[in-house]
């Protein structure tokens, strides 16, 4: 079992007989939980929760989770920790096992993600959206601040989002897009991974391969980012929303989140898809070495008509190696 799956997670266990509760405490402690409080009866739960500040309350035996919730959050303010029946996590009996611990961790991470997304939406709502109604200068400035926040969370490549934007804009120009569209793509593309702000560090920054359920969480960054950028009252925000939502779609329809194919995928997202993959390949990440420029370009060419729009790949090729890694100052 992953012995730090619950690192930093304080737990309160309510109900059950003493032996079952103690055995659950041993399992949670072995999984890294720094504090596991046992509460035998419902009328003690509010005081114990106030004292121990758990991140999650597990209910055992015939303890009714709804009754526990009513004690912890009588006004329904959604301020109390979640109350989870152990039987729901364990599936069978009251021993959690590795699968039960993993389920508990995923549940807590989803909750943390929702909290972060809520905070992010509040920031955007209070600052960005009002600013977007003002001048174009403020629009672009605010977007770049959001892009920097996204960039900060995107693995170890602080300039990744800017390089992707610059390459996407160069390819757009090469394909004959007008100045306006090139500029929209240049300013919207850095936001492609904005939704990663809401993905827990334990997943986003994990070295090595992700478990399938962790990858499902990472995939949500596309929709989360688009949700933050939706209804923004400006053209550049509209393009940023398309890019955030659709930059992991594939030309053959096997991508996510909508399974769009071909030209149903908005062009700015098709451009960012190529620029993003190329940039990730040629730089080191926690889970991989940097590829050579030639090998990365071969991979992009090999994806034409399957992962990538063939016209975008042709533009990529047309630009040539000097342009692929020209940096982001000149675009
Ligand atoms: Fe992404
Ligand atoms: Fe990216």
């Amino acid at each position: 079992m992953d012995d730090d799956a619950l690192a930093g997670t304080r737990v309160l266990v309510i109900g059950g007989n003493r032996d079952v509760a103690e055995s659950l405490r041993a399992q949670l402690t072995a999984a890294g939980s720094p504090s596991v409080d046992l509460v035998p009866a419902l009328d003690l739960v509010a005081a114990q929760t106030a004292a121990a500040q758990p991140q999650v309350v597990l209910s055992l035996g015939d303890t009714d989770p709804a009754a526990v919730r009513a004690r912890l959050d009588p006004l329904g303010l959604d301020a109390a920790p979640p109350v989870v029946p152990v039987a729901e996590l364990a599936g069978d009996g009251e021993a959690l096992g590795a699968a039960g611990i993993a389920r508990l961790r995923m549940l807590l991470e989803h909750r943390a993600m929702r909290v972060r997304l809520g905070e992010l939406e509040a920031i955007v709502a209070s600052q960005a959206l009002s600013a977007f109604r003002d001048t174009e200068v403020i629009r672009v400035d605010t977007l770049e601040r959001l892009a920097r926040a996204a960039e900060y969370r995107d693995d170890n490549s602080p300039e990744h989002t800017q390089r992707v934007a610059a390459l996407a804009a160069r390819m757009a120009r090469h394909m004959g897009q007008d100045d306006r569209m090139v500029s929209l793509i240049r300013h919207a593309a850095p936001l492609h991974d904005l939704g990663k702000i809401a993905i827990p560090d334990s997943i986003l920054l994990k070295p090595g391969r992700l478990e399938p359920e962790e990858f499902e969480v990472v995939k949500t960054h596309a929709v989360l980012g688009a949700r933050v950028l939706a209804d923004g009252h400006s053209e550049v925000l509209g393009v940023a929303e398309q890019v955030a939502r659709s930059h992991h779609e594939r030309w053959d329809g096997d991508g996510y989140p909508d399974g769009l194919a071909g030209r149903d995928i908005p062009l700015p997202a098709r451009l960012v898809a190529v620029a993003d993959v190329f940039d990730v390949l040629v730089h080191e990440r926690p889970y991989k070495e940097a590829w050579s420029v030639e090998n990365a370009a071969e991979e992009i060419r090999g994806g034409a008509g399957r992962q990538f729009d063939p016209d975008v790949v042709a533009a990529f090729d047309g630009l040539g190696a000097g342009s692929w890694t020209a940096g982001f100052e000149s675009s």
Side-chain angles (χ1 to χ4, degrees):
M1 184 190 304
D2 185 353
D3 57 10
D4 61 2
L6 298 180
T9 307
R10 295 182 304 279
V11 184
L12 192 134
V13 176
I14 177 159
N17 70 40
R18 187 85 203 167
D19 288 350
V20 172
E22 285 292 358
S23 125
L24 182 59
R25 165 145 65 187
Q27 290 177 60
L28 294 166
T29 305
S33 176
S35 106
V36 184
D37 275 281
L38 304 184
V39 181
L42 197 55
D43 50 4
L44 300 173
V45 75
Q48 272 284 21
T49 298
Q53 301 276 306
Q55 274 103 346
V56 61
V57 177
L58 299 180
S59 67
L60 270 174
D62 54 7
T63 311
D64 176 11
V68 180
R69 274 183 214 113
R71 295 276 178 142
L72 294 181
D73 188 16
L75 299 177
L77 298 177
D78 205 16
V83 181
V84 184
V86 172
E88 251 173 40
L89 296 170
D92 182 27
E94 293 192 320
L96 280 180
I101 296 283
R103 253 176 245 134
L104 176 58
R105 191 181 108 172
M106 290 305 293
L107 185 142
L108 292 169
E109 284 179 345
H110 269 112
R111 190 178 158 90
M113 184 166 84
R114 281 205 311 277
V115 170
R116 283 196 214 186
L117 184 66
E119 288 166 359
L120 185 63
E121 283 177 333
I123 292 168
V124 172
S126 67
Q127 298 177 1
L129 294 187
S130 59
F132 288 143
R133 293 189 190 95
D134 296 328
T135 68
E136 187 70 15
V137 174
I138 297 173
R139 274 177 200 161
V140 171
D141 182 60
T142 310
L143 276 177
E144 292 201 351
R145 279 164 207 279
L146 278 176
R148 260 181 268 156
E151 197 172 81
Y152 177 71
R153 301 260 307 145
D154 193 8
D155 295 359
N156 292 327
S157 324
E159 285 155 357
H160 164 75
T161 58
Q162 292 297 327
R163 289 190 306 256
V164 168
L167 179 53
R170 280 185 213 119
M171 292 188 295
R173 191 179 298 286
H174 197 83
M175 290 174 80
Q177 296 295 313
D178 62 19
D179 287 353
R180 175 81 186 149
M181 192 57 182
V182 170
S183 163
L184 285 171
I185 289 169
R186 178 68 185 79
H187 293 294
L191 294 164
H192 66 277
D193 277 335
L194 179 63
K196 283 189 178 171
I197 287 180
I199 306 299
D201 288 345
S202 62
I203 296 180
L204 193 61
L205 307 180
K206 180 178 172 179
R209 291 190 76 80
L210 295 179
E211 299 299 326
E213 68 269 24
E214 291 172 329
F215 188 55
E216 289 306 310
V217 174
V218 170
K219 282 162 71 173
T220 63
H221 81 276
V223 169
L224 295 176
R227 226 162 85 186
V228 170
L229 294 162
D231 307 322
H233 307 287
S234 85
E235 222 179 336
V236 68
L237 264 189
V239 174
E241 182 189 354
Q242 290 179 337
V243 166
R245 185 168 189 106
S246 302
H247 70 284
H248 289 288
E249 299 290 1
R250 292 172 52 107
W251 184 256
D252 61 13
D254 276 348
Y256 66 87
D258 301 307
L260 299 179
R263 296 206 167 79
D264 286 346
I265 307 164
L267 176 65
R270 283 182 263 143
L271 288 157
V272 167
V274 169
D276 189 27
V277 169
F278 176 76
D279 193 77
V280 168
L281 288 177
V282 297
H283 290 88
E284 195 185 325
R285 290 276 167 127
Y287 51 87
K288 62 170 269 298
E289 304 275 316
W291 290 28
S292 71
V293 166
E294 303 76 57
N295 285 350
E298 219 21 72
E299 181 78 9
I300 297 294
R301 289 184 197 107
R306 294 185 296 140
Q307 184 170 359
F308 306 123
D309 176 351
D311 291 342
V312 173
V313 174
F316 172 84
D317 248 340
L319 282 175
S323 226
W324 299 335
T325 52
F328 51 84
E329 300 80 9
S330 57
S331 64

